[in-house]
């Protein structure tokens, strides 16, 4: 379980996250929606300490992730993240991209990591790409490799930060399908997205953020069909009218 308590984040004098409190259960899929600049990315980047909270605490399975120590390093390693711009290593092959972290952290031997990468590539239908470099892949393929790379570490949770926003429209579906399948496996997922159909249909709960605050949180279907807060209603009326 992820527990976020009284989380605040400032950039300079700008108060970006304002007293966020949130609990995410194991196996839950959470979609995080809201206007540009509302703090969605900053919030998920705080969960894995890519951004250090200014104040407040984040607990993963009861352990404060800010605490140093070997056990905490391991917990942090098991929070996967997939980014809008893939962040694959350009000078490594697809297979090397996937095996690098489990080998470097000592989680798997080289042979184990390669077997795991091959299994993951099979499920992504990308085994034929194992020896190529990322530059020869389409955006959708790169993003599926980025998801496979994250899965190679056996994460307890994966954070998705607008992972389809940089893709050509025809490639969005293939990445969302991989995420849908992952959701069915019981993976805990926090998904910042502008894909409203995904946010409504795949997520268990949806969160609407505005101005650094959680304005509304509810079962995803209910948040979309019966928004309670006027700001949620206004946002949804704008994004759903197309
Ligand atoms: N490293 C940083 N330094 C200073 N300001 C930052 C930094 N990162 C984010 N911000 C600011 O924090 C605010 C929230 O940004 P964030 O990226 O979390 O919003 P978002 O809701 O994810 O937006 P979008 O949907 O456009 O990605 C914005 O005003 C942004 O300019």
């Amino acid at each position: 379980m992820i527990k976020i308590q009284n989380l605040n984040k400032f950039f300079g004098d700008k108060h970006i996250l304002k007293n966020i409190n949130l609990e995410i259960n194991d196996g839950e899929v959470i979609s995080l929606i809201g206007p540009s600049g509302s703090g969605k990315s900053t919030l998920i980047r705080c969960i894995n300490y890519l951004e250090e909270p200014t104040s407040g605490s984040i607990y993963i399975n009861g352990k404060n992730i800010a605490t140093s120590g070997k056990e905490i390093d391991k917990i942090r390693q098991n929070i996967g993240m997939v980014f809008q711009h893939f962040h694959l290593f350009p000078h490594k092959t697809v297979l090397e991209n996937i095996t690098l972290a489990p080998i470097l952290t000592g989680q798997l031997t080289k042979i184990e990591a390669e077997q795991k990468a091959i299994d993951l590539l099979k499920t992504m239908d990308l085994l034929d790409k194992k020896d190529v470099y990322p530059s020869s892949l389409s955006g959708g393929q790169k993003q599926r490799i980025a998801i496979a790379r994250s899965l190679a570490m056996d994460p307890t949770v994966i954070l998705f930060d607008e992972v389809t926003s940089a893709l050509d429209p025809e490639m969005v579906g293939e990445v969302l399908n991989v995420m849908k399948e992952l959701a069915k496996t019981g993976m805990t997922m926090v998904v910042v997205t502008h894909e409203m159909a995904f946010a409504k249909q795949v997520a268990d709960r949806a969160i609407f953020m505005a101005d650094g605050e959680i304005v509304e949180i509810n079962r995803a279907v209910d948040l979309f069909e019966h928004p309670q807060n006027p700001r949620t209603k206004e946002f949804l009326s704008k994004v759903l009218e197309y």
Side-chain angles (χ1 to χ4, degrees):
M1 180 199 257
I2 301 171
K3 188 170 180 179
I4 300 173
Q5 250 178 358
N6 304 326
L7 171 66
N8 285 278
K9 176 70 183 174
F10 284 79
F11 286 117
D13 59 1
K14 286 200 293 180
H15 198 176
I16 302 299
L17 295 177
K18 300 172 184 163
N19 211 41
I20 302 284
N21 287 284
L22 176 64
E23 287 184 12
I24 300 169
N25 298 314
D26 291 343
E28 240 193 329
V29 178
I30 301 274
S31 57
L32 197 45
I33 61 168
S36 185
S38 54
K40 306 179 298 293
S41 296
T42 307
L43 174 56
I44 62 166
R45 290 167 67 85
C46 282
I47 294 177
N48 65 353
Y49 258 65
L50 273 184
E51 295 290 355
E52 191 175 348
T54 307
S55 65
S57 310
I58 295 168
Y59 299 92
I60 310 283
N61 294 330
K63 300 217 163 63
N64 188 334
I65 194 169
T67 318
S68 60
K70 268 213 158 116
E71 197 186 0
I72 296 297
D73 288 346
K74 181 117 186 88
I75 292 169
R76 284 199 195 137
Q77 278 165 15
N78 284 311
I79 303 175
M81 185 149 188
V82 186
F83 301 88
Q84 182 176 359
H85 294 293
F86 326 122
H87 293 198
L88 295 174
F89 304 111
H91 303 300
K92 303 227 172 269
T93 65
V94 162
L95 192 81
E96 289 164 348
N97 262 278
I98 299 173
T99 57
L100 189 69
I103 294 172
L104 274 184
T105 56
Q107 194 158 311
L108 297 176
T109 64
K110 187 163 185 278
I111 291 171
E112 287 167 343
E114 286 182 354
Q115 188 53 54
K116 180 150 203 165
I118 286 166
D119 292 344
L120 285 165
L121 286 168
K122 275 187 198 155
T123 64
M124 304 273 171
D125 210 13
L126 286 171
L127 188 57
D128 58 329
K129 303 290 183 197
K130 81 179 171 59
D131 297 319
V132 309
Y133 289 87
S135 59
S136 70
L137 301 172
S138 71
Q141 289 169 337
K142 282 182 196 163
Q143 201 57 296
R144 285 186 285 148
I145 299 298
I147 295 171
R149 181 177 60 174
S150 180
L151 287 169
M153 287 293 284
D154 266 339
T156 51
V157 52
I158 306 189
L159 312 170
F160 293 86
D161 195 1
E162 294 186 26
V163 298
T164 58
S165 298
L167 300 179
D168 290 334
E170 72 271 22
M171 290 172 189
V172 170
E174 68 189 62
V175 173
L176 292 180
N177 281 339
V178 168
M179 292 165 67
K180 273 184 210 164
E181 290 306 312
L182 199 52
K184 285 185 203 157
T185 68
M187 174 64 71
T188 311
M189 298 165 60
V190 186
V191 184
V192 173
T193 187
H194 294 288
E195 295 291 332
M196 293 300 149
F198 181 93
K200 175 181 174 184
Q201 288 155 13
V202 180
D204 300 301
R205 284 192 295 163
I207 295 173
F208 172 66
M209 276 187 81
D211 291 330
E213 291 175 304
I214 292 182
V215 173
E216 187 163 346
I217 177 164
N218 205 345
R219 271 187 2 122
V221 173
D222 292 333
L223 186 131
F224 278 87
E225 290 185 359
H226 308 289
Q228 301 296 311
N229 190 289
R231 292 159 90 188
T232 320
K233 283 183 193 167
E234 190 195 347
F235 175 77
L236 289 178
S237 73
K238 280 188 194 146
V239 295
L240 298 177
E241 74 187 12
Y242 295 103

